[in-house]
Amino acid sequence: MLITNTEIIPGKTITQFHGMVSGSTVRAKHVGRDLMASFKNIFGGELKGYTELLSESRKEAVERMTAQARQMGANAIINVRFSTSSVASGAAELYVYGTAVTLA
């Protein structure tokens, strides 16, 4: 499955549009990560716990989007975008969407 954030893929022809596909996950913060993030806010530096949490969330959301595209018979997803939103106190949604297509 080819996944890209561009609208076209040079050298490839879109032979069929299958429609929009999406994937999402909602993740809550871990108390331990919050505590460590509080210390990092004082001294500075990368919030590795949150970086890892977001990386896992992106991976899971993309896997769900890809599974949906496969069910539709697509072999690529173009124009992929990510979005985040706060769902509840301490919980956030990571949402990914794109257009499922068949490339020749």
Side-chain angles (χ1 to χ4, degrees):
M1 180 73 60
L2 183 61
I3 300 171
T4 181
N5 62 347
T6 60
E7 294 180 9
I8 60 168
I9 300 173
K12 301 285 184 179
T13 302
I14 296 172
T15 58
Q16 186 175 2
F17 283 91
H18 299 277
M20 189 177 106
V21 288
S22 64
S24 70
T25 183
V26 176
R27 297 286 177 113
K29 293 185 252 179
H30 184 278
V31 173
R33 287 180 177 160
D34 273 351
L35 184 62
M36 292 305 293
S38 298
F39 288 121
K40 287 285 186 176
N41 281 338
I42 296 170
F43 301 109
E46 182 182 6
L47 303 175
K48 291 183 180 179
Y50 285 134
T51 300
E52 184 179 303
L53 177 69
L54 288 172
S55 178
E56 291 168 0
S57 298
R58 281 190 295 270
K59 182 179 176 187
E60 186 172 342
V62 168
E63 285 174 357
R64 290 176 179 173
M65 177 182 70
T66 302
Q68 186 181 10
R70 278 197 185 99
Q71 288 178 342
M72 298 169 92
N75 65 4
I77 306 170
I78 61 171
N79 207 21
V80 173
R81 301 290 186 262
F82 286 90
S83 175
T84 61
S85 63
S86 178
V87 174
S89 177
E93 176 188 33
L94 196 140
Y95 182 71
V96 61
Y97 60 97
T99 304
V101 297
T102 297
L103 298 174

